[in-house]
Amino acid sequence: MSDFLKVKDISFRYPQYKYVKEKNIFNNFSFSLKKGEITLFLAPPESGKTTLSGILTSLVPRYTGGNLDGNIFIDGTDITEERAYNLITKIGIVFQNPEEQILTTEVESEIGFALEALGHDYDFIKNKTDDVLEKIGIAHLKGMNPSQLSGGEKRKLLLAALLALDPEIWVLDETFEEIDPQSRVSLLNLLRDLNKTVFILTSKMLDIYKKYCSRFFLYDGKELIEETKIPDTLDTSDTPNMQKNSFMAKAIETGLYLDTEKINPESKQSNGQDPGAENIFLKAENIYFKYDNGDFALNINDFYLKSGEIVVLIGKNGSGKSTFAKIISGLLKPSAGSGKIMIDDNGKLKERSSDELNKNVSYFFQNPDLQLFLPTVGEELAFGLKGSSKDKSEIKKLVNEAIDLFHLDNCDMPPALMSYGARKRLQAAIYYLLNKKIVIIDEADSGISFKDYAFIIKNIRSLDPVPAIMIISHDIKLSVGFADRIIIMENGTFVESDCEKKLTNLLDISTTGDG
C-alpha cells in the first residue's frame, strides 16, 4: 500500500514573543500515512501535536505565524503552500478545543455551514445533516445551541460536521478523551467502516486504540518511534520485557501509558449509598434542575462527599455530570422548590446558599479557557488571594512556589500563548492556592498525560486539610485507579442497581471494545 499522506523533512519555529523562548517544534521531521489506515500519534503535552495538526491542514503557519520548511504531500501533491479552504474535501480536522472551532448557534447550522459555503442546495444540506446526526448518534441534539452541549457532545458535533464534508483524511486532535466509552467504540467502528485515512493525535495511550489502529507513532519531542504491530501492554516490574518493546517502554517512561491500578491500591468502589454520617462534609438531598429550553432534567435524591475521599462520577455525554457539579459548587441553582445542599459546620450539616457553596468548592471547568481571563500567569494565580489576609510579599511568594510546583514557565507568561495542557496546569495551580475544602475536577484528564494528571491529583491531596475530591471522567480505567467510590450517572440521575456489573461492563468496553 503506497503512502497517501507524506510529511517530509519539516522543521517549524513559532515567532518569538516577549517572555516566550523561541524553539524548534520539529526538526527535519518525517513520517507517512497509508490510505485507509487509522494511525495513532502519541506524544506528551507541549511536544507539538496541535501544531502538527495545524501544519497538516495548512492552518499553521498561515494563521499563526512562524517559519515552516519541508514538504507535505497528499496523494503525491504538495500542499505546503495551499490555503486551508482549498483542502476542505481532502483533509479535515477536529480541534483539541472545540470552543475554537464551533461557529454557529444551532447544531444543524454548524453541520451545514461548510456545505453551504461549497454551494450545496437546501435539500442536500438537510438530508446530509440528518444522515450524519444519526450516524454520529446525536440526532437528539437537533435544535440545540452548541454552547449548551457538554464537552463530549461538542466533539461529536464537530465529528458530524466533518462526516458531512467527507474528506479523504481526518485529523483528530485529542478528540476521544471527553467522549464516553460506548460512543468512543461506536465512532471508532464508524471510522473503520468508512475506510478513511484517520490520524489520531493524543497524550494518552488508551487500550481501545490497540483494537482500531494499525500503526502507532510515539514522539517525545525529539525522537519518533514507529510501531506497525499492536504494542503489548507490559508488566512494568519486568525490566527485560520492557527492553524488548521500545514503544511501550517509552510510553510508560513519558507517562503516556500508566498502570492505574497502582495509583491507589486501597481503592474501593461502591454504588454511592450513604454508610452513615461520619466525616461527611457535603450532602445533597432531592436536587431537581431543568434547563429552560431543553428536555433534560437532573433529579438527584441523595449525594454525599466525605472529607478527604475521592469520588469519581462517570456516565455518557449529556447525562448531567457537569450540571450536577455546577449545582454543588454554587454556579447553578436548583429549580425552585427543590431540595437542599448542606456543608459541615462544626460537626453539623448546615444548608448553604450558592455563594456559601462557591466559597467552599473549587470547580475545574472542562475547558480551562472559560476560567482564565487575566493577562499573565502571575496575575491569574494572585487574583484569588487578593481578598485574603495575606500581604503582597506573601502572595508573591505563594505565586512563585505554585509556578515551580506546577511547572509553569514564569509569572509574566500570557496564558493565551501557553499550550492547552499548560493552561490546565495553571487552572490546577489557581485552585491549589485557594485551598478550598472540596475540589471538583471536570474532565481535566483530557489533553494531558497520565503522568500530569496524577501529578495534579497528588498536589491537590497534599493540601492541609486534604480536600474531598470529585472527579468527572470518561476514562474508566483511570477512575478505578483513583477512586474511593465510583458513581454512575444516567439520564440525569444516579444508577442504584447493578452498579458493579455496569462498571465491569464499562471497563471491558473502554479497554477491549467489547461489553
Side-chain angles (χ1 to χ4, degrees), residues 370-440:
L370 299 178
Q371 289 181 299
L372 302 176
F373 56 91
L374 292 171
T376 68
V377 165
E379 289 172 280
E380 285 284 1
L381 291 170
F383 182 79
L385 300 175
K386 289 180 178 178
S388 68
S389 58
K390 298 176 176 63
D391 59 31
K392 288 185 178 180
S393 62
E394 188 177 1
I395 290 175
K396 184 177 180 180
K397 180 184 177 184
L398 289 169
V399 166
N400 287 331
E401 288 175 353
I403 286 172
D404 289 340
L405 181 62
F406 286 87
H407 307 313
L408 303 171
D409 285 335
N410 58 66
C411 250
D412 298 313
M413 170 70 83
L417 297 181
M418 295 164 62
S419 72
Y420 193 72
R423 297 200 299 275
K424 286 199 169 187
R425 292 202 309 275
L426 172 58
Q427 190 183 19
I430 290 168
Y431 286 111
Y432 172 84
L433 289 178
L434 290 177
N435 194 5
K436 296 185 182 181
K437 296 176 181 178
I438 296 173
V439 177
I440 299 174

Side-chain angles (χ1 to χ4, degrees), residues 5 28 79-80 86-87 93 123 131 172 174 179-180 183 191 197 212 225 234 252 256 315 321 336 382 415 444 460 500:
L5 183 145
N28 295 322
I79 64 161
T80 312
N86 289 330
L87 299 173
I93 184 173
D123 288 338
D131 178 55
L172 307 179
E174 305 274 13
I179 292 176
D180 61 80
S183 298
L191 290 174
T197 305
Y212 293 94
I225 296 173
L234 300 177
I252 292 168
L256 306 178
K321 303 181 299 297
I460 296 298
E500 189 171 338

Side-chain angles (χ1 to χ4, degrees), residues 102 106-108 110-111 128-144 146 149-163 179-180 183 186-187 190 317-318:
I102 291 173
E106 188 180 63
V107 163
E108 293 96 314
E110 187 65 35
I111 295 170
K128 177 65 73 172
T129 298
D130 289 343
D131 178 55
V132 299
L133 284 170
E134 286 289 343
K135 286 180 177 175
I136 299 296
I138 54 171
H140 61 288
L141 299 181
K142 277 185 181 179
M144 291 190 66
L149 305 182
S150 71
E153 288 173 331
K154 289 174 183 176
R155 283 166 171 78
K156 290 177 184 179
L157 172 58
L158 292 173
L159 285 167
L162 200 58
L163 181 59
I179 292 176
D180 61 80
S183 298
S186 296
L187 291 168
L190 174 64
N317 299 124

Side-chain angles (χ1 to χ4, degrees), residues 3-8 31-33 56 71-76:
D3 296 333
F4 189 59
L5 183 145
K6 187 173 184 178
V7 175
K8 185 177 180 182
F31 69 93
S32 60
L33 307 180
L56 294 178
N71 304 93
I72 300 167
F73 300 92
I74 294 180
D75 202 17

